Amino acid sequence: MLNDLSRYRLNADSDLDEYRKDLHKFVHFQGEVYNLLDGLAIGDTINVCDVVVPDSLDVFIKVVCKYILLHQQDDESKSRIEFSDDYRKIYRRPGFVKPNHLDKHFYSRR
């Protein structure tokens, strides 16, 4: 599929080695992407093609994948960044919030 950007996903950390050759430029770019993702409110969406020039699609998507990997062990109550199936959109999804009424098991007599 022509519009499918999943071909740019990060398959191994070494996929970023090419971009790390210019470490200063890469760290600056990574910082900008992380700031963009950190600033995304729950329920907000980023259309990748609206914020990235075509020449940077590969590194942008790989850096977002790295961000997602670094945050996958966060507490389940925290929100999460996700890609759409075709990697054209990025979403911030809400985390899991345990309802108060489930604090006591419904079989308990407490």
Side-chain angles (χ1 to χ4, degrees):
M1 185 165 145
L2 194 59
N3 292 326
D4 188 358
L5 302 178
S6 66
R7 66 184 175 275
Y8 298 122
R9 72 178 174 258
L10 183 70
N11 295 307
D13 192 63
S14 60
D15 292 349
L16 290 168
D17 288 350
E18 174 186 341
Y19 301 106
R20 290 180 179 134
K21 288 178 183 174
D22 185 346
L23 193 57
H24 179 73
K25 183 178 177 181
F26 175 76
V27 169
H28 178 74
F29 182 82
Q30 178 178 274
E32 292 292 319
V33 173
Y34 283 14
N35 286 336
L36 175 70
L37 298 173
D38 286 341
L40 199 60
I42 293 173
D44 282 353
T45 302
I46 295 173
N47 184 342
V48 172
C49 294
D50 288 347
V51 297
V52 182
V53 295
D55 290 343
S56 298
L57 277 172
D58 182 50
V59 66
F60 178 83
I61 290 176
K62 283 175 173 40
V63 167
V64 173
C65 289
K66 184 73 173 176
Y67 179 96
I68 291 169
L69 286 171
L70 290 172
H71 290 87
Q72 71 183 2
Q73 298 300 321
D74 286 353
D75 183 0
E76 68 182 18
S77 66
K78 290 189 176 181
S79 61
R80 302 223 185 274
I81 296 290
E82 297 176 1
F83 274 110
S84 61
D85 290 339
D86 61 4
Y87 282 60
R88 295 182 67 76
K89 293 193 183 291
I90 299 170
Y91 307 98
R92 176 158 305 268
R93 302 283 192 210
F96 174 76
V97 178
K98 183 179 174 184
N100 288 336
H101 70 277
L102 295 180
D103 286 343
K104 234 170 48 173
H105 194 273
F106 64 92
Y107 284 121
S108 72
R109 294 179 185 249
R110 294 185 267 167

